[in-house]
Amino acid sequence: MRAQDSATGSGTIAVGGGTETAPVAGTAPTPIAGTTQTAGTAPGTGPTPNRATPGTAPYAPQHSPKAAARRGTLLASLGVVAFSLTFPSTAWGLESFGPWSLVALRSTLAALIAGCFLLAVRAPVPERRHWAGLAVVAGGVVIGFPLLTTLALQTSTTSHAAVVVGLLPLTTAVLGSLRTGERPSRTFWVAALAGAAVVIGFTVQQSGGALSSGDLYLFGALLVCAAGYTEGGRLARVMPGWQVIGWALMLCLPFAVAGSAVALPLEPVRLTAHGVLGLVWVAAGSTFFGLYVWYKGMAGIGVPRASQLQLAQPLLTLAWSVLLLGEEVSAAAPLAAVAVLVCIAATQRTGRRRAPRPLPAGETRPVRS
């Protein structure tokens, strides 16, 4: 009887140098700490060890590849729409501010917006190894591209400035392929080259084929922006896209504030509704929101594929220049638009020949909800 009582009553069993209370007859056994037991497993068969690595977030289901591709394409497309308004908004901003003042105020306002978001969610400070990449993003898309294109728009029309955007998708795809290890197919490159040729030919025809004194600024903007896009797309794989541009803006904040303090007294300021609206859009729309959805989209579908969506940007910019600035566009615009859409569709349907290069040791891809 005592032996039977000990088998059914409460007692202790030695487990791994510790003790565990034996279950009462008819009740489910209590799992050992640090282990899991599959539903329906008979008692006594032993719990399944928990395979989660200490200190890491548990695995969460990802979006299906098709759903993730659609989501990434949509986000990147929203970024293209936001970017297409940059040149017209900059032209408006130049009605009220000088070029140096406009760029400094643009970066300052965008950094303040980003700082509020970072504080609101208590975003962690990026690790030291990411700051070099954030500096490239800051130098390329926060300072370099806005400054160089603003200087170019003093002597160039928005139609002519769209030439740099016509070359930007191809340049970004090349740099992205070299930097991230993605290898698009041959069909992708044929479609990308065809799209670039259509856009360049159309925009040059719109500007009369003549080069302006601002072309040096435009080609410089092309290179620094492509580098910033590529590095930002790479970083968006290991941190949320909005934090990539957020921390890049915060990195530039001291320089932006200093630039505003120096430039505003030296350049004339004539506040107009267009000027203020242009400043607000290039700061909140193009710089913060546009880059946020752009980097998030690039992380989802890859730098080369996302870059080709920008083939539509010059045509959108030309449409905005007609509606907002009263510039004239030839009847060839619809034909160019159709040709560009065909090239974009081709680049989005082609697969990659090789997967992206694995992330460095210690880096993990963020879990997307």
Side-chain angles (χ1 to χ4, degrees), residues 330-342:
S330 71
L335 295 177
V338 172
V340 165
L341 289 177
V342 171

Side-chain angles (χ1 to χ4, degrees), residues 126-127 130 134 235-244 247 364 366:
E127 298 179 19
H130 296 323
L134 290 171
L235 288 173
R237 294 177 176 178
V238 295
M239 68 175 69
W242 74 272
Q243 290 187 23
V244 173
W247 287 113
T364 58

Side-chain angles (χ1 to χ4, degrees), residues 10-346:
S10 61
T12 58
I13 303 174
V15 179
T19 60
E20 182 191 14
T21 303
V24 178
T27 62
T30 302
I32 301 173
T35 64
T36 57
Q37 183 172 356
T38 305
T41 302
T45 57
T48 303
N50 190 345
R51 300 181 184 275
T53 304
T56 61
Y59 173 80
Q62 303 288 319
H63 294 292
S64 67
K66 290 185 177 180
R70 287 194 298 267
R71 185 168 180 263
T73 300
L74 175 61
L75 290 172
S77 299
L78 287 176
V80 170
V81 174
F83 297 154
S84 69
L85 280 162
T86 299
F87 285 170
S89 299
T90 300
W92 273 6
L94 288 173
E95 296 180 9
S96 296
F97 306 96
W100 295 91
S101 301
L102 180 61
V103 172
L105 290 173
R106 166 184 179 168
S107 299
T108 302
L109 181 58
L112 292 176
I113 296 172
C116 291
F117 276 90
L118 291 171
L119 287 175
V121 302
R122 297 182 180 180
V125 177
E127 298 179 19
R128 182 179 300 178
R129 66 178 183 273
H130 296 323
W131 281 106
L134 290 171
V136 174
V137 175
V141 302
V142 178
I143 296 178
F145 186 79
L147 177 60
L148 292 172
T149 53
T150 300
L151 292 173
L153 286 174
Q154 289 187 296
T155 57
S156 301
T157 65
T158 56
S159 304
H160 185 80
V163 173
V164 70
V165 182
L167 287 171
L168 186 56
L170 182 60
T171 307
T172 304
V174 172
L175 291 181
S177 179
L178 294 174
R179 184 70 177 92
T180 64
E182 297 182 48
R183 294 293 182 266
S185 66
R186 185 175 301 175
T187 305
F188 172 93
W189 290 116
V190 171
L193 288 170
V198 170
V199 171
I200 293 170
F202 176 72
T203 50
V204 169
Q205 184 270 335
Q206 284 298 120
S207 61
L211 296 178
S212 69
S213 59
D215 285 325
L216 183 61
Y217 291 130
L218 292 174
F219 287 117
L222 165 71
L223 294 176
V224 298
C225 189
Y229 280 172
T230 299
E231 199 63 24
R234 186 189 69 83
L235 288 173
R237 294 177 176 178
V238 295
M239 68 175 69
W242 74 272
Q243 290 187 23
V244 173
I245 185 57
W247 287 113
L249 286 166
M250 296 306 296
L251 191 62
C252 294
L253 182 58
F255 305 99
V257 172
S260 300
V262 172
L264 283 173
L266 299 178
E267 294 181 331
V269 176
R270 298 178 298 273
L271 294 181
T272 64
H274 279 177
V276 174
L277 185 59
L279 170 63
V280 171
W281 177 258
V282 294
S286 300
T287 304
F288 184 73
F289 172 76
L291 289 171
Y292 159 59
V293 293
W294 177 244
Y295 285 142
K296 199 170 182 66
M298 292 180 87
I301 63 177
V303 174
R305 285 183 63 192
S307 67
Q308 298 312 297
L309 293 172
Q310 276 196 304
L311 287 171
Q313 184 173 329
L315 301 177
L316 290 172
T317 298
L318 292 173
W320 293 124
S321 68
V322 171
L323 295 174
L324 302 178
L325 304 177
E327 296 183 5
E328 296 182 358
V329 179
S330 71
L335 295 177
V338 172
V340 165
L341 289 177
V342 171
C343 293
I344 291 175

